[in-house]
C-alpha cells in the first residue's frame, strides 16, 4: 500500500465504524486463509460476517456456506491446484499465440518441450 494511501486508510478506519468492521473482517478472513485455521474458525468468521450488517459480507458468508465442504477443504488442506492451473494457462496462451500459424504437431512439440 502506498504511503499516502495508508494515511487515508487509517483516517477512514477511525472515522467510519462500518469501514472499520469491514477492514477487521477482511483481515480476519485473510488470516484464516494464510494460516489454514480450519472449519471451526471459518464458521466463527461466517457468524461474525452474517451478524455484521454489511450486505457484501453477509452475501459472501452465504456463498461460503453454500459450498461448505469445498471451502473448508480449500482453506485447511495443504494441496493446491495452482500448478495445474498454471499449466492450463500456459497451454491456452501457446494455443492463442500459434492460432492460424501451425497445426497440432508443432503445438504438441512446443507444449512438451517447453
Amino acid at each position: 500500500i502506498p504511503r499516502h494511501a495508508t494515511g487515508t486508510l487509517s483516517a477512514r478506519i477511525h472515522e467510519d465504524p462500518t469501514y472499520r468492521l469491514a477492514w477487521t473482517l477482511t483481515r480476519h478472513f485473510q488470516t484464516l486463509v494464510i494460516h489454514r485455521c480450519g472449519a471451526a474458525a471459518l464458521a466463527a468468521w461466517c457468524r461474525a460476517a452474517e451478524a455484521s450488517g454489511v450486505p457484501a459480507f453477509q452475501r459472501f458468508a452465504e456463498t461460503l456456506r453454500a459450498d461448505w465442504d469445498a471451502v473448508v477443504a480449500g482453506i485447511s488442506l495443504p494441496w493446491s491446484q495452482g500448478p495445474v492451473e498454471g499449466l492450463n494457462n500456459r497451454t491456452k496462451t501457446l494455443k492463442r499465440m500459434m492460432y492460424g500459424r501451425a497445426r497440432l504437431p508443432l503445438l504438441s512439440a512446443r507444449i512438451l518441450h517447453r
Side-chain angles (χ1 to χ4, degrees):
I1 299 175
R3 184 171 287 167
H4 71 282
T6 305
T8 305
L9 179 63
S10 296
R12 186 73 190 262
I13 288 171
H14 291 296
E15 292 170 1
D16 188 357
T18 304
Y19 201 85
R20 185 179 321 118
L21 179 60
W23 177 256
T24 303
L25 285 170
T26 303
R27 298 297 289 183
H28 285 166
F29 189 77
Q30 179 185 17
T31 302
L32 287 174
V33 173
I34 290 172
H35 297 292
R36 301 186 184 278
C37 292
L42 182 62
W45 185 89
C46 284
R47 284 192 299 276
E50 290 166 345
S52 70
V54 180
F57 284 97
Q58 290 172 332
R59 284 191 306 272
F60 183 62
E62 288 174 20
T63 303
L64 292 179
R65 288 192 188 277
D67 200 11
W68 187 253
D69 292 335
V71 173
V72 169
I75 69 160
S76 60
L77 298 175
W79 302 301
S80 170
Q81 294 295 330
V84 174
E85 291 300 325
L87 181 63
N88 288 344
N89 186 37
R90 182 175 176 276
T91 304
K92 289 178 181 181
T93 302
L94 283 172
K95 184 181 91 172
R96 288 183 193 115
M97 286 171 40
M98 296 178 66
Y99 181 78
R101 297 183 187 175
R103 301 273 184 235
L104 187 59
L106 183 59
L107 178 61
S108 299
R110 275 197 77 180
I111 290 171
L112 295 175
H113 299 291
R114 290 198 171 246

